[in-house]
Amino acid sequence: MDLDSKVKKMTLGHEEGSGASCLKCKEKCEGFELHFWRKICRNCKCGQEEHNIFSNNEEDRKVGKLFEDTKYTALIAKLKTDGIPTYKRNVMILTNPIAAKKDVSINTVSYEWAPPVQNQTLARRYMELIPKDKQPVTGSEGAQYRKKQLAKQLPAHDQDPSKCHELSPHEVKQMEQFVKKYKNEVLGVGDVKLPKEVEAQASGVDMPNDGNQSVLTTVKGTEDKALSQKVSTYYCFRCKENMREGDPAVYAERAGYDKLWHPSCFVCFTCNELLVDMIYFWKNGKLYCGRHYCDSEKPRCAGCDELIFSNEYTQAEGLNWHLKHFCCFDCDCVLAGEIYVMVNDKPVCKPCYVKKHAVSCQGCHNIIDPEVQRVSYNGFHWHATPECFVCSCCSKCLIAQKFMPIEGMVFCSVECKKKMSS
């Protein structure tokens, strides 16, 4: 591929989703414009997942690539047109007749995703057991939630080197090995089943066992005597509360079939969000979403949001950064060796801070330099000097003294306050 073709391909990819509205800022954002290497909008600084840019086809391809070369290839299909693996989402459509005065109308409810089980009654009950605002009904808040979590929990740049910014050949190789390892060892998809059926299979019907699962269903009590009896009381591995009779549970093969979860309890250990499409990563007895599993294994750059596969990176403000990405959040100048100020947990260079974020002194009305001491109270600020932080009536210095604040003014005594208000 020649240089012109490479530039054209990069530009087209960069323009993907351009102009999409921000679901968080609404009309305040002029439309999505992707930052060159950050995963944010240049206009409103919100993340990609906050914008309405991800189509179902894009997300299906991302999940399809995640399941490629795993035991979950039954959940993907390769299109004849391009051979790219695509996620075969299970879509559920429910029809309910509604009696009217003259005739019967049909109410149709479509779910953009449902558990891949043959028993639709089981899938329907699963949906009823998760919070209503998280049920992925087409066109609903729940469908938007699912789309946002797909972007947040399973970022494409955590599995696909081509989605990352300027990786070296060594870093690409490191990433490919990392992805292969988690696909083989920790990636899984939840299984919705009735606990009694699992118990019946464990006691009488052979179940596939690859060494990663147990065939004993979790029951109340841990003594051998209790396990040997037919117990119908099952409890959730997360909340420890009993399952209701007849309700489906979620199982995780990597964890073993001796553990089960309420559908609403099948969440990431770190972010406590529902594991999108029940895709989990099992590590040290805990369920994680893709993002937080990767965070537990590799440092993540706070600038570009990508995992760091280089041996050289920097740490600042308790976060990790690629050396080239420790930059001002406003102007992108490199901050190594420079003075910076944290604004909303983002580093900003001194010139940008003074220009866009600095506060004014209530005393002298000049900008307060970020390197000088200040006094702040209830949204008002003063230089911490005898000339600025003084009584608004008698000009007595109030540094290290008690004071009375009134709407941006400070007083040394009740008498001074009364004089100003009279």
Side-chain angles (χ1 to χ4, degrees):
M1 183 184 291
D2 59 33
L3 183 59
D4 289 341
S5 299
K6 285 183 179 179
V7 173
K8 184 178 181 182
K9 183 178 179 182
M10 180 182 70
T11 304
L12 289 173
H14 198 72
E15 291 173 350
E16 192 172 306
S18 180
S21 59
C22 180
L23 303 172
K24 189 175 182 180
C25 298
K26 308 295 183 183
E27 67 279 353
K28 292 181 181 178
C29 177
E30 297 176 11
F32 183 72
E33 183 182 350
L34 182 63
H35 185 278
F36 191 67
W37 51 265
R38 300 184 196 270
K39 310 300 185 292
I40 62 170
C41 172
R42 295 181 65 179
N43 290 321
C44 67
K45 301 296 180 73
C46 291
Q48 286 177 291
E49 70 278 2
E50 299 290 355
H51 291 78
N52 193 24
I53 60 177
F54 297 102
S55 69
N56 284 332
N57 287 339
E58 291 173 71
E59 293 297 346
D60 288 347
R61 290 189 176 207
K62 178 181 72 175
V63 178
K65 185 171 180 62
L66 178 66
F67 289 154
E68 189 177 28
D69 300 323
T70 70
K71 62 174 69 177
Y72 301 104
T73 51
L75 295 174
I76 64 176
K78 292 193 176 183
L79 302 179
K80 293 181 179 180
T81 51
D82 51 23
I84 296 176
T86 302
Y87 179 34
K88 294 191 298 185
R89 267 182 305 123
N90 187 45
V91 178
M92 182 170 67
I93 301 175
L94 302 178
T95 55
N96 299 308
I98 301 175
K101 290 183 178 180
K102 294 184 178 180
D103 51 13
V104 177
S105 61
I106 301 297
N107 179 39
T108 302
V109 180
S110 300
Y111 292 87
E112 294 191 354
W113 171 86
V117 293
Q118 292 182 344
N119 186 341
Q120 193 180 75
T121 303
L122 206 63
R124 184 173 186 168
R125 183 60 182 146
Y126 167 90
M127 287 300 178
E128 292 171 350
L129 292 172
I130 63 175
K132 191 171 181 62
D133 61 350
K134 296 179 180 179
Q135 296 173 11
V137 175
T138 302
S140 71
E141 180 185 357
Q144 196 62 52
Y145 169 80
R146 174 183 173 270
K147 188 179 289 187
K148 182 177 178 179
Q149 292 307 314
L150 276 170
K152 195 72 176 176
Q153 295 185 23
L154 302 171
H157 51 270
D158 277 8
Q159 59 158 316
D160 188 351
S162 71
K163 302 294 184 181
C164 298
H165 181 243
E166 297 180 349
L167 294 184
S168 68
H170 175 72
E171 289 171 316
V172 170
K173 185 176 180 181
Q174 291 288 313
M175 183 174 185
E176 289 173 344
Q177 291 174 346
F178 174 70
V179 172
K180 183 178 180 180
K181 187 173 187 291
Y182 74 57
K183 283 186 176 186
N184 289 335
E185 297 179 7
V186 298
L187 173 66
V189 180
D191 199 3
V192 176
K193 291 178 177 291
L194 291 171
K196 280 190 174 181
E197 291 182 358
V198 174
E199 184 180 31
Q201 286 180 318
S203 58
V205 180
D206 290 337
M207 289 181 64
N209 194 336
D210 60 1
N212 289 324
Q213 68 182 41
S214 165
V215 293
L216 288 174
T217 302
T218 304
V219 295
K220 274 288 187 183
T222 56
E223 296 180 3
D224 292 340
K225 183 178 179 180
L227 288 173
S228 65
Q229 298 172 353
K230 290 186 177 180
V231 182
S232 59
T233 305
Y234 309 92
Y235 73 94
C236 174
F237 185 71
R238 179 173 183 264
C239 72
K240 310 304 179 187
E241 296 293 326
N242 287 341
M243 305 292 296
R244 287 180 56 182
E245 186 75 23
D247 278 352
V250 183
Y251 292 83
E253 183 183 5
R254 298 281 188 186
Y257 279 79
D258 60 330
K259 301 175 184 66
L260 52 83
W261 287 260
H262 290 111
S264 60
C265 288
F266 200 65
V267 299
C268 171
F269 174 76
T270 301
C271 65
N272 285 318
E273 296 289 353
L274 278 181
L275 291 164
V276 66
D277 293 12
M278 300 191 300
I279 299 170
Y280 68 86
F281 292 70
W282 179 254
K283 177 183 176 182
N284 297 335
K286 296 180 179 69
L287 294 167
Y288 292 92
C289 67
R291 170 178 291 273
H292 291 115
Y293 166 75
C294 290
D295 285 352
S296 74
E297 292 285 313
K298 297 287 181 182
R300 186 183 295 277
C301 176
C304 68
D305 196 49
E306 294 171 15
L307 300 174
I308 300 175
F309 291 95
S310 170
N311 292 328
E312 294 184 352
Y313 63 96
T314 189
Q315 293 182 316
E317 305 297 329
L319 299 170
N320 304 300
W321 313 76
H322 286 114
L323 297 177
K324 60 187 177 184
H325 290 160
F326 185 52
C327 302
C328 171
F329 193 65
D330 287 349
C331 72
D332 290 333
C333 72
V334 178
L335 293 174
E338 301 293 333
I339 296 170
Y340 66 90
V341 183
M342 295 300 288
V343 177
N344 297 325
D345 298 325
K346 306 293 184 183
V348 176
C349 68
K350 184 176 177 180
C352 282
Y353 177 82
V354 171
K355 182 180 179 181
K356 301 179 181 179
H357 308 284
V359 295
S360 297
C361 173
Q362 289 293 110
C364 67
H365 304 294
N366 292 322
I367 293 294
I368 301 177
D369 189 284
E371 293 183 85
V372 304
Q373 288 188 319
R374 74 174 75 174
V375 177
S376 298
Y377 185 86
N378 203 26
F380 297 101
H381 311 273
W382 296 261
H383 286 106
T385 63
E387 295 78 26
C388 291
F389 191 53
V390 297
C391 175
S392 299
C393 178
C394 68
S395 298
K396 175 186 175 182
C397 177
L398 295 177
I399 295 175
Q401 302 295 319
K402 291 182 179 180
F403 63 89
M404 301 178 65
I406 303 290
E407 296 179 357
M409 296 185 289
V410 285
F411 301 98
C412 64
S413 63
V414 175
E415 290 74 16
C416 278
K417 176 190 170 186
K418 287 181 178 179
K419 285 181 184 180
M420 288 295 290
S421 58
S422 60

